[in-house]
């Protein structure tokens, strides 16, 4: 009985083998060694061989990447099974490239600050470069405009002025500047002797303001008021002086150099020049001659010290003293005086007070 079972088993195996041989002509099975899918085999023996090939392919892939991956086709013929290589070296290399790119994608997901910071630095450098270029172009444009204007001015001076023939550019420019420069009014220089009551000799470093005063002694001349300042060294009754004194006939006396301080405005002696003006009437109004000399002197001092009419003040404006009396009581007259100083020209004389 056992023999019969064995013989039956052999017959069954032979039948299966025969069926496999009869169908080998239509069965053509492809297998990828180490792949995830397999084609169905025509026999159990073929399946076992395919499984062994798959395991070997997996081991090769796990240990060596895709270097040992090969594509095979298994064909059954009457003579027996035969395997043929289908994959070439380029397919293997393609698989290796894909396998190497995987960790790179992971690194991109994690993120690295170096590429971002490098891009930011490049953008910052580019912005700085653009700003430098823009600044350079602007400076070149400004320089060209200045050169053009200077050249035009020199050209006009050389061709419009008939007296400039045969002269150099420096001489022409100097003459133009000197021609527009205001000359000082006729002045009698009669400095006080140094003393602590009228001429202390303290340095006057910078002139910021010009103060206008009146002598408070109607009918006295400029020379008399100068003598009064000089006698203070003897009488010592008070400290007082001024840089200039203008008489009611228009004469101008300078008592103290412009490099020294005078005793005129207690809180501003260190940065101001003072002018005392004589008068005849009790109201303190200046004569026309005094007015004209005062306007000329103020215009010259503002020019020499780079000041404006805003820097011309009354003694009243610093301390509240009613000095000069007429121009404290008549604001409109003071405003007219400042306007005349602003419009004063060397050849122009003010018509009226």
């Amino acid at each position: 009985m056992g023999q019969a079972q064995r013989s039956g088993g052999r017959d069954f195996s032979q039948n299966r083998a025969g069926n496999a041989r009869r169908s080998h002509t239509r069965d053509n099975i492809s297998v990828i060694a180490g792949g995830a899918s397999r084609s169905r085999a025509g026999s159990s023996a073929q399946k076992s061989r395919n499984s062994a090939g798959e395991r070997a392919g997996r081991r090769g892939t796990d240990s060596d990447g895709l270097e040992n991956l090969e594509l095979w086709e298994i064909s059954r013929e009457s003579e027996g099974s035969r395997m043929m290589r289908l994959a070439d070296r380029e397919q293997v290399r393609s698989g290796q490239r894909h396998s190497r790119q995987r960790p790179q994608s992971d690194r991109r997901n994690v993120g690295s600050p170096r590429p971002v910071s490098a891009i930011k630095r490049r953008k910052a450098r580019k912005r700085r470069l653009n700003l430098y270029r823009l600044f350079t172009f602007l400076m070149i444009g400004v320089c060209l405009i200045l050169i053009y204007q200077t050249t035009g001015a020199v050209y006009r001076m050389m061709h419009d002025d008939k007296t400039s023939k045969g002269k150099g550019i420096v001489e022409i420019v100097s003459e133009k500047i000197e021609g527009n420069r205001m000359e000082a009014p006729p002045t009698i220089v009669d400095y006080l002797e140094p003393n602590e009551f009228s001429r202390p000799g303290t340095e006057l470093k910078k002139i910021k303001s010009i103060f206008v005063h009146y002598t408070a002694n109607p009918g006295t001349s400029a020379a008399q008021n100068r003598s009064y300042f000089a006698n203070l060294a003897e009488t010592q009754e008070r400290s007082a002086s001024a840089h200039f004194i203008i008489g009611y006939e228009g004469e101008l006396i300078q008592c103290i150099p412009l490099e020294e301080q005078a005793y005129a405005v207690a809180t501003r002696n260190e940065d101001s020049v003072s002018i005392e003006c004589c008068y005849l009437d009790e109201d303190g109004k200046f004569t026309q001659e005094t007015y004209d000399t005062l306007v000329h002197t103020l215009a010259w001092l503002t020019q020499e010290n780079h000041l404006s009419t805003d820097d011309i003040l009354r003694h009243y404006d610093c301390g509240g003293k009613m000095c000069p009396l007429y121009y404290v009581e008549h604001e409109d007259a003071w405003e007219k005086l400042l306007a005349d100083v602003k419009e004063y020209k060397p050849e122009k004389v003010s018509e009226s007070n």
Side-chain angles (χ1 to χ4, degrees):
M1 180 175 172
Q3 185 177 2
Q5 289 178 349
R6 287 192 297 271
S7 63
R10 285 194 300 271
D11 294 338
F12 179 74
S13 299
Q14 290 175 359
N15 291 333
R16 292 179 60 184
N19 292 333
R21 283 194 296 271
R22 283 193 298 271
S23 60
H24 79 280
T25 56
R26 62 176 181 271
D27 291 339
N28 190 3
I29 302 168
S30 298
V31 177
I32 300 176
S37 64
R38 303 189 304 272
S39 299
R40 290 181 302 180
S43 65
S44 59
Q46 190 66 39
K47 290 180 179 179
S48 62
R49 287 195 297 271
N50 291 341
S51 299
E54 288 176 357
R55 288 193 297 273
R58 290 194 186 97
R59 287 194 299 271
T61 305
D62 295 337
S63 60
D64 300 329
L66 295 178
E67 294 177 355
N68 298 325
L69 178 63
E70 295 181 354
L71 186 62
W72 301 86
E73 180 180 341
I74 302 174
S75 301
R76 289 188 304 159
E77 299 178 355
S78 60
E79 301 294 334
S81 298
R82 184 173 63 88
M83 291 189 296
M84 299 178 63
R85 173 184 279 184
L86 299 179
D88 56 9
R89 189 175 300 274
E90 293 299 325
Q91 291 174 328
V92 175
R93 291 178 180 174
S94 177
Q96 291 174 349
R97 286 195 296 270
H98 288 302
S99 65
R100 293 193 188 102
Q101 290 175 358
R102 289 175 185 171
Q104 294 178 358
S105 62
D106 294 339
R107 287 196 295 273
R108 285 196 297 271
N109 292 334
V110 173
S112 176
R114 289 187 177 179
V116 176
S117 60
I119 292 172
K120 289 183 178 178
R121 286 195 298 270
R122 286 197 296 270
K123 288 182 178 179
R125 285 197 298 269
K126 189 174 181 180
R127 285 195 296 268
R128 287 196 298 270
L129 180 61
N130 291 333
L131 290 176
Y132 293 154
R133 289 174 178 172
L134 178 61
F135 178 76
T136 303
F137 290 149
L138 290 176
M139 291 301 298
I140 292 174
V142 171
C143 292
L144 290 175
I145 293 173
L146 292 176
I147 292 172
Y148 175 78
Q149 292 180 346
T150 303
T151 304
V154 173
Y155 178 84
R156 287 191 296 272
M157 284 190 298
M158 294 181 65
H159 289 79
D160 294 345
D161 192 354
K162 296 180 180 180
T163 62
S164 62
K165 293 181 179 180
K167 297 180 180 180
I169 295 176
V170 176
E171 292 178 320
I172 295 172
V173 174
S174 299
E175 288 180 1
K176 289 288 182 180
I177 295 174
E178 292 297 330
N180 294 328
R181 194 175 188 84
M182 188 182 304
E183 293 183 359
T187 306
I188 301 171
V189 179
D190 191 4
Y191 293 148
L192 301 174
E193 292 295 326
N195 66 89
E196 59 178 318
F197 293 95
S198 56
R199 187 186 172 186
T202 308
E203 181 182 5
L204 178 59
K205 295 181 179 179
K206 185 174 179 60
I207 299 174
K208 296 182 179 180
S209 301
I210 304 170
F211 283 94
V212 177
H213 307 257
Y214 86 133
T215 60
N217 291 315
T220 57
S221 65
Q224 289 174 331
N225 283 277
R226 188 263 176 202
S227 297
Y228 171 75
F229 291 148
N231 290 333
L232 290 177
E234 302 296 333
T235 63
Q236 301 182 4
E237 59 181 275
R238 58 184 291 230
S239 295
S241 62
H243 291 86
F244 297 95
I245 304 174
I246 301 176
Y248 52 79
E249 293 182 355
E251 68 275 21
L252 177 65
I253 299 176
Q254 184 174 2
C255 302
I256 296 177
L258 292 176
E259 296 80 17
E260 297 181 16
Q261 296 182 19
Y263 286 145
V265 182
T267 59
R268 296 292 308 278
N269 289 331
E270 70 278 2
D271 62 356
S272 64
V273 171
S274 289
I275 303 173
E276 290 278 359
C277 297
C278 299
Y279 63 100
L280 295 176
D281 299 329
E282 292 292 336
D283 61 357
K285 186 177 180 179
F286 300 159
T287 63
Q288 185 64 48
E289 292 79 8
T290 302
Y291 185 88
D292 293 340
T293 302
L294 176 62
V295 170
H296 187 177
T297 305
L298 290 172
W300 172 69
L301 287 172
T302 53
Q303 171 194 269
E304 293 298 311
N305 296 281
H306 308 287
L307 304 175
S308 68
T309 54
D310 294 334
D311 302 309
I312 300 174
L313 304 174
R314 300 167 294 184
H315 192 177
Y316 170 79
D317 297 323
C318 185
K321 184 178 180 180
M322 299 296 287
C323 173
L325 179 63
Y326 183 81
Y327 293 97
V328 172
E329 295 177 344
H330 300 81
E331 290 284 345
D332 55 340
W334 177 251
E335 294 297 330
K336 185 180 184 303
L337 173 64
L338 297 179
D340 288 343
V341 172
K342 188 174 183 179
E343 296 174 1
Y344 181 79
K345 303 296 180 184
E347 66 276 4
K348 180 179 179 180
V349 179
S350 179
E351 296 179 356
S352 62
N353 186 335

